[in-house]
Amino acid sequence: ILNVEQSPQSLHVQEGDSTNFTCSFPSSNFYALHWYRWETAKSPEALFVMTLNGDEKKKGRISATLNTKEGYSYLYIKGSQPEDSATYLCALKAAGNKLTFGGGTRVLVKP
Amino acid sequence: GAGVSQSPSNKVTEKGKDVELRCDPISGHTALYWYRQSLGQGLEFLIYFQGNSAPDKSGLPSDRFSAERTGGSVSTLTIQRTQQEDSAVYLCASSHRLYEQYFGPGTRLTVT
């Protein structure tokens, strides 16, 4: 059983502030790391798929880094806005193709 | 283009009844996944189909759960003799091989 951990479980951010949170995972048999954003009453939406150690991806004000050797990924939100409020999920794809999801980090941006 | 669709969007059933949940993946996506989210929990993997390969059923919680995918497209998740602990949002996702997954809107199942 793969153990994908996300921390913190939740965080409150003031509008305009930047924030980041962590996904940690076992580094053996790594294939890819996915990040998803899940807004209330909507379906999870893919943000990034990362495969290479040292990878850094960016979409607007959101970016992510990947360290496969030590088994962690950071997701950053720059200049948080209320519409960034959501649960951010990371998921590990190891051998066998299925994704193992972390418990998510619930972000609430306060105006 | 059309995304992943699921039906019904909501299902209320009595304990002990069987239910069928349907997923229509994105056309051309070879991989199809079922997940569920119980109240206060994260996403729980249930089953994965990839092309014509045997499905990965390792996440199915009991033998009351089964799924099939006909013709490499539509999938049906069947829960027999439903129990209250089966109440959850059931999400389907599809992907093209090993790329990001596209999720459907989910079916909210309530077992009374």
Side-chain angles (χ1 to χ4, degrees):
Chain A
I1 297 177
L2 296 174
N3 199 24
V4 180
E5 302 274 353
Q6 290 189 248
S7 64
Q9 282 189 319
S10 65
L11 63 94
H12 292 184
V13 187
Q14 201 64 40
E15 182 176 357
D17 287 352
S18 296
T19 189
N20 65 84
F21 37 92
T22 309
C23 172
S24 59
F25 51 88
S27 52
S28 59
N29 295 318
F30 175 88
Y31 193 96
L33 188 85
H34 293 218
W35 279 100
Y36 292 84
R37 175 170 58 200
W38 195 0
E39 296 179 66
T40 303
K42 295 186 178 180
S43 307
E45 173 195 358
L47 286 174
F48 307 114
V49 178
M50 309 176 78
T51 56
L52 299 176
N53 184 45
D55 232 357
E56 184 169 339
K57 297 216 171 180
K58 188 175 180 181
K59 182 183 284 189
R61 293 177 292 97
I62 301 177
S63 60
T65 60
L66 178 66
N67 183 321
T68 60
K69 294 184 178 179
E70 297 182 36
Y72 65 84
S73 175
Y74 291 129
L75 192 103
Y76 300 86
I77 305 175
K78 183 178 178 182
S80 303
Q81 300 297 309
E83 59 264 31
D84 297 328
S85 297
T87 297
Y88 291 82
L89 297 168
C90 70
L92 174 69
K93 186 184 286 288
N97 294 324
K98 72 184 185 189
L99 288 181
T100 301
F101 281 84
T105 293
R106 189 168 187 163
V107 174
L108 179 63
V109 181
K110 299 179 180 177
Chain B
V4 178
S5 61
Q6 291 185 245
S7 60
S9 55
N10 279 286
K11 176 73 177 179
V12 180
T13 190
E14 292 180 354
K15 178 181 172 181
K17 294 282 180 70
D18 298 352
V19 294
E20 279 190 357
L21 312 180
R22 178 187 167 105
C23 171
D24 282 88
I26 292 173
S27 177
H29 280 189
T30 55
L32 187 147
Y33 307 78
W34 283 98
Y35 300 92
R36 73 175 177 182
Q37 188 201 27
S38 304
L39 190 63
Q41 304 296 311
L43 272 179
E44 176 188 3
F45 167 79
L46 297 176
I47 188 169
Y48 158 64
F49 296 89
Q50 172 63 56
N52 295 321
S53 303
D56 178 348
K57 303 180 183 179
S58 58
L60 294 179
S62 79
D63 59 9
R64 296 185 296 103
F65 287 71
S66 62
E68 61 178 25
R69 188 179 185 192
T70 52
S73 181
V74 171
S75 177
T76 303
L77 177 71
T78 301
I79 309 173
Q80 295 178 310
R81 305 181 301 283
T82 51
Q83 303 295 312
Q84 288 186 328
E85 61 263 28
D86 299 334
S87 296
V89 175
Y90 288 81
L91 286 167
C92 172
S94 70
S95 71
H96 180 61
R97 295 191 67 195
L98 304 177
Y99 296 108
E100 65 267 24
Q101 296 182 12
Y102 292 83
F103 285 81
T107 294
R108 182 176 295 278
L109 175 67
T110 304
V111 181
T112 60

